[in-house]
Amino acid sequence: MACVSFPTCPLAMAEAERFLPEFVTEVEGIMQRRGVGDEHIVLRVTGCPNVCGRAMLAEIGLVGKAVGRYNLHLGGNREGTRIPRMYRENITQAEILGELDSLIGRWALERQQGEGFGDFAIRSGIIKPVLDPARDFYD
Ligand code: SF4
């Protein structure tokens, strides 16, 4: 899912709707190469921190910071009941794909049966869960 962002929204800081198709294709390529092409990951992109694209309810959430740059959030779940925490700040598409290539590779090798990518990121210690957003979102 993505919000409309550029060129529709006057608050846009980075591409979202127009960025998503190519980005999803890149992530699908990583998943194929890592042997989890039949799996799915909830991935959302939003053009600014208002988060209309619901990146704060995704296993992988991108929040636009500037043209071509995003905060990468990890650790949401497939049910959309856990907020993902920021993993890397203000990075480029190439840097995001590099991070995801490594992390999806770990997920492919180390996941438990039926374990989603976001749940794996929490269990394996890649990212701490957000338990009380009012207190620990920025920890
Ligand atoms: S998240 Fe930001 S850029 Fe996207 S539609 Fe909402 S206000 Fe606009």
Side-chain angles (χ1 to χ4, degrees):
M1 179 187 292
C3 73
V4 291
S5 198
F6 290 127
T8 308
C9 178
L11 300 177
M13 297 164 70
E15 292 283 353
E17 182 181 56
R18 299 189 298 193
F19 166 92
L20 187 72
E22 180 194 329
F23 185 73
V24 166
T25 298
E26 294 282 352
V27 174
E28 286 174 340
I30 290 171
M31 293 175 69
Q32 287 285 348
R33 288 195 297 278
R34 295 294 191 171
V36 287
D38 293 336
E39 271 289 354
H40 70 280
I41 300 174
V42 178
L43 187 162
R44 294 177 178 159
V45 182
T46 197
C48 84
N50 287 323
V51 195
C52 303
R54 300 185 185 181
M56 289 300 101
L57 293 175
E59 295 181 280
I60 299 172
L62 303 186
V63 179
K65 286 282 285 185
V67 173
R69 290 185 168 271
Y70 300 85
N71 291 346
L72 170 60
H73 289 249
L74 300 176
N77 58 16
R78 289 176 172 173
E79 295 77 20
T81 57
R82 188 174 59 228
I83 293 172
R85 183 183 297 282
M86 187 163 68
Y87 179 71
R88 295 285 184 264
E89 185 173 17
N90 198 25
I91 60 175
T92 65
Q93 177 177 348
E95 290 169 325
I96 295 165
L97 290 170
E99 295 283 359
L100 294 181
D101 187 34
S102 168
L103 295 170
I104 289 171
R106 280 192 60 185
W107 177 51
L109 292 173
E110 301 172 25
R111 65 188 170 143
Q112 295 176 345
Q113 187 168 8
E115 187 175 37
F117 179 75
D119 288 340
F120 168 75
I122 298 293
R123 181 181 60 79
S124 62
I126 292 167
I127 195 85
K128 288 193 304 182
V130 175
L131 301 174
D132 181 355
R135 298 175 187 276
D136 70 353
F137 183 74
Y138 293 105
D139 284 355

